[in-house]
Amino acid sequence: MLSHHDRTELEKIERSLELTDPGLAAALRDGKRPKSRALRSTLLIAVDVIAVTLLVLGLILPDPGVTLCGILALTGTVWTHVARHKI
């Protein structure tokens, strides 16, 4: 069991966290992990690179299927970027 001093300090930390980052405080209170934007951004950049690579390979190689895959992948990544910034 925590002492009175420890409980008081924890309450101060909780109030401070609620004021500075209410989203994190709510996630901790509900037992959910906060969403990682870094992982999402890294994954989106990797998909961007793959889409551009497919498009360039499709333009170099005489294969219209690779070009079509590159165009579709690039369209999907552009749509994802636009949808992400509207939120």
Side-chain angles (χ1 to χ4, degrees):
M1 180 145 214
L2 296 174
S3 69
H4 177 68
H5 174 70
D6 290 341
R7 278 185 273 143
T8 306
E9 290 299 315
L10 283 175
E11 288 172 2
K12 286 180 186 177
I13 293 171
E14 184 179 350
R15 281 193 302 270
S16 172
L17 183 61
E18 294 244 354
L19 291 174
T20 58
D21 195 352
L24 178 60
L28 292 173
R29 187 174 37 253
D30 296 339
K32 297 178 183 176
R33 295 181 64 179
K35 296 177 183 177
S36 172
R37 291 181 185 234
L39 177 63
R40 199 175 294 162
S41 295
T42 304
L43 184 62
L44 191 56
I45 289 171
V47 172
D48 289 343
V49 170
I50 291 170
V52 169
T53 303
L54 277 174
L55 186 61
V56 170
L57 280 176
L59 294 173
I60 292 173
L61 300 174
D63 187 4
V66 177
T67 306
L68 180 62
C69 288
I71 291 171
L72 291 175
L74 202 56
T75 303
T77 57
V78 167
W79 179 80
T80 305
H81 281 289
V82 169
R84 185 173 172 219
H85 288 291
K86 282 187 177 181
I87 295 176

